[in-house]
């Protein structure tokens, strides 16, 4: 599965902490878009889509949340609970985000501008596309 934790630059001193990610240096793409999820409402599952080409890094900069990831063959659960943990998610991975803690902030760095045509929002279509690519 094309997911992995990536190394952030972690700086800290007696004043506090400061984490950095530089596009093309710490992660494999230039950052074209940044967005964040916050004030998430208990009980809702977010995401529920895959991307055709988009690459992303997810960092839970406050609180924690869980992710269910699926590449058409296997499923993996990841907990993001530390601002030092950046999760790279490549194209073709179905993702669901859930169990956000109170006050959680999920920061997302993306390789492209928003493009609804890059989304696969139907799980059955996703599985069919995996099948067509010989993944299943
Ligand atoms: P949605 O894809 O449902 O969020 P998630 O997958 O995180 O649960 O996005 C919610 C709305 O925000 C939807 O109408 C699309 C819009 N949106 C943008 O306009 N630009 C963006 O960069 C993103 C991520 C979403």
């Amino acid at each position: 599965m094309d997911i992995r934790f990536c190394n952030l630059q972690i700086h800290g001193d007696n004043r506090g902490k400061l984490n950095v990610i530089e596009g093309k240096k710490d992660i494999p793409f230039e950052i074209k878009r940044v967005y964040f999820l916050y004030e998430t409402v208990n009980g809702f599952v977010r995401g529920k889509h895959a991307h055709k080409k988009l690459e992303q890094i997810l960092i839970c900069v406050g609180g924690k949340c869980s992710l269910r990831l699926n590449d058409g063959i296997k499923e993996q659960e990841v907990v993001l609970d530390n601002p030092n943990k950046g999760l790279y998610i490549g194209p073709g991975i179905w993702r669901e985000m859930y169990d956000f803690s109170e006050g959680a902030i999920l920061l997302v760095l993306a390789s492209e501008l928003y493009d609804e045509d890059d989304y696969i929002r139907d799980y059955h279509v996703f599985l069919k596309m995996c099948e067509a690519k010989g993944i299943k």
Side-chain angles (χ1 to χ4, degrees):
M1 191 178 306
D2 194 13
I3 64 164
R4 57 187 176 271
F5 285 106
C6 58
N7 292 321
L8 281 63
Q9 298 173 37
I10 299 167
H11 305 271
D13 55 31
N14 59 343
R15 297 169 302 165
K17 296 181 175 171
L18 188 159
N19 287 2
V20 177
I21 292 187
E22 292 182 273
K24 283 277 202 183
K25 185 173 163 190
D26 304 309
I27 58 172
F29 58 84
E30 289 288 4
I31 299 159
K32 286 208 186 146
R33 179 166 53 110
V34 175
Y35 63 92
F36 41 96
L37 306 182
Y38 63 106
E39 294 184 10
T40 45
V41 179
N42 230 344
F44 283 97
V45 176
R46 301 218 49 153
K48 292 188 175 175
H49 64 254
H51 287 282
K52 296 173 193 164
K53 291 194 181 138
L54 191 74
E55 297 173 278
Q56 292 176 311
I57 304 282
L58 278 65
I59 307 164
C60 206
V61 294
K64 67 174 190 166
C65 71
S66 299
L67 277 99
R68 210 168 11 249
L69 301 153
N70 184 324
D71 65 358
I73 300 174
K74 60 178 184 160
E75 191 166 281
Q76 195 171 328
E77 308 245 347
V78 171
V79 176
L80 292 181
D81 56 359
N82 186 321
N84 296 343
K85 242 185 196 178
L87 180 70
Y88 170 87
I89 305 181
I93 308 281
W94 186 266
R95 84 285 313 272
E96 298 181 358
M97 291 88 87
Y98 58 99
D99 274 356
F100 287 84
S101 67
E102 185 75 34
I105 304 172
L106 181 64
L107 179 70
V108 183
L109 313 177
S111 63
E112 299 298 336
L113 301 181
Y114 176 72
D115 175 10
E116 187 58 37
D117 287 345
D118 189 67
Y119 280 75
I120 309 159
R121 291 196 185 269
D122 181 320
Y123 188 63
H124 297 288
V125 171
F126 168 70
L127 290 179
K128 284 243 170 330
M129 286 173 94
C130 292
E131 244 175 70
K133 283 192 279 183
I135 290 171
K136 212 176 165 95

